[in-house]
């Protein structure tokens, strides 16, 4: 643990990407803890009301040389939430800017923590939200990035490998969490849509039909952002048992996209009092990612056995809350 100003022994927790979709609610949760909190993002992050933590806010372009090292200096724990999100998770093979954010910053983080390492002290905890790259594999299994078709998934997997190597070398204690479809609503509902649930909710609120690719039979495991925050905190709190490994986070239940979109239409109708918009099936577009046609249903039991975490927010309740938050 790093002593703070005037010998303050509270741990220093750094959130990279603190103003984002997951970073904002995570920041509110961490601010209630007795820690020193450093919030780093491209845009300024508001300090939560009633914060118990001593909170420092920094604005930075973390892709700039040396920016990550400066942001995490002295950290006891880092939540690394920075990712290329301008186009969601649709990354092309030649998108070097996305690769820099998704992979390069993790290299920078590992190098910075190695340089800042304190003799005899355990490596800082690093919690890294990743994606569902290890479906069906045991915790700790390694997946070859070369065999992954989706550029975004491949980049996340490469980043996981960087953290796993650094964990094995004792530089840090890295915990990678495989997240399926994350949804819900953050404090800034004017921000660009994050994910299919928000996008389709906005369409339904505008009275537009909801289009599902193919026959809508593809299944997805959906986890609410509030449950993701709880999982991130659990990963931090149990890092000694989780470090160096990939763990899947989700509900363990698959929902077809057709039934999901129907549920969104019904949730919006209940909110507006108007008839539910139609849900129609269409052919997948040319830009569809190979992962679009794959079922994603995770097994959260290994993570539950270590941490006690389970998803708590039900889908119907969450769709209603999302409709309420996004309604004019």
């Amino acid at each position: 643990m790093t002593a703070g100003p005037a010998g303050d022994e509270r741990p220093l927790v750094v959130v990279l990407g603190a103003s984002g979709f997951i970073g904002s609610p995570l920041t509110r949760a961490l601010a209630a803890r007795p820690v020193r909190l450093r919030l780093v993002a491209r845009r300024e992050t508001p300090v939560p009301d009633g914060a118990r933590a001593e909170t420092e806010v920094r604005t930075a372009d973390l892709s700039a040389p040396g920016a990550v090292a400066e942001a995490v200096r002295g950290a006891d724990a880092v939540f690394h939430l920075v990712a290329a999100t301008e186009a969601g998770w649709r990354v092309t093979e030649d998108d070097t800017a996305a690769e820099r954010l998704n992979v390069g910053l993790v290299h920078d983080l590992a190098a910075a923590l190695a340089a800042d390492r304190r003799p005899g002290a355990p490596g800082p905890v690093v919690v890294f939200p990743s994606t569902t790259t290890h479906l069906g594999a045991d915790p700790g299994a390694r997946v070859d990035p070369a065999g992954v078709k989706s550029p975004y998934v491949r980049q996340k997997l490469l980043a996981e490998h960087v953290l796993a190597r650094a964990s094995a070398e004792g530089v840090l204690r890295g915990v990678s969490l495989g997240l399926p479809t994350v949804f819900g609503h953050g404090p800034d509902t004017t921000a660009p849509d994050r994910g299919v649930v928000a996008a389709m909710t906005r369409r339904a609120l505008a009275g537009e039909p909801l289009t599902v690719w193919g026959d809508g039979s593809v299944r997805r495991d959906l986890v609410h952002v509030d449950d993701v925050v709880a999982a991130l905190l659990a990963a931090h709190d149990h890092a000694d048992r989780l470090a160096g490994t990939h763990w899947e986070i989700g509900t363990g239940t698959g929902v077809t996209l057709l039934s999901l979109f129907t549920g969104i239409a019904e949730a919006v109708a209940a909110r507006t009092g108007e008839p539910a918009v139609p849900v129609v099936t269409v052919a997948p577009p040319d830009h569809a990612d190979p992962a679009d046609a794959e079922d994603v249903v995770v097994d959260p039991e290994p993570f539950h056995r270590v941490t006690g975490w389970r998803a708590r927010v039900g889908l119907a309740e969450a769709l209603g809350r999302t409709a309420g938050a996004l309604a004019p």
Side-chain angles (χ1 to χ4, degrees), residues 106-311:
V106 179
H107 279 286
D108 290 356
L109 175 60
L113 295 180
D116 198 34
R117 190 173 178 183
R118 300 180 293 277
V125 173
V126 175
V127 182
F128 178 64
S130 186
T131 189
T132 46
T133 56
H134 299 241
L135 289 176
D138 292 330
R142 291 284 173 261
V143 177
D144 183 2
V148 177
K149 296 179 181 179
S150 167
Y152 174 83
V153 173
R154 188 184 316 124
Q155 290 172 11
K156 284 292 192 178
L157 184 56
L158 288 168
E160 286 189 38
H161 284 198
V162 172
L163 291 179
R165 287 195 299 271
S167 294
E169 294 166 359
V171 170
L172 52 84
R173 289 170 286 163
V175 184
S176 296
L177 298 185
L179 305 182
T181 301
V182 180
F183 76 108
H185 59 86
D188 182 6
T189 56
T190 64
D193 291 337
R194 282 298 312 275
V196 66
V197 173
M200 291 299 164
T201 299
R202 291 184 186 275
R203 283 192 190 182
L205 286 165
E208 301 173 4
L210 307 187
T211 54
V212 58
W213 296 350
D215 62 3
S217 63
V218 172
R219 297 187 303 153
R220 288 288 186 267
D221 193 332
L222 293 100
V223 59
H224 193 271
V225 66
D226 289 351
D227 284 326
V228 172
V229 168
L232 293 170
L233 295 175
H236 169 274
D237 296 344
H238 297 82
D240 286 341
R241 296 183 61 190
L242 300 171
T245 304
H246 173 104
W247 302 83
E248 300 288 354
I249 300 301
T251 66
T253 301
V255 179
T256 68
L257 292 182
L258 184 60
S259 63
L260 171 62
F261 287 17
T262 300
I264 292 171
E266 292 172 348
V268 169
R271 173 72 185 184
T272 64
E274 300 291 334
V277 299
V279 179
V280 297
T281 58
V282 299
D286 293 339
H287 66 264
D289 189 280
D292 291 327
E294 299 176 357
D295 290 339
V296 177
V297 183
V298 309
D299 178 11
E301 283 304 309
F303 187 75
H304 166 73
R305 286 194 291 270
V306 175
T307 67
W309 177 91
R310 285 198 190 278

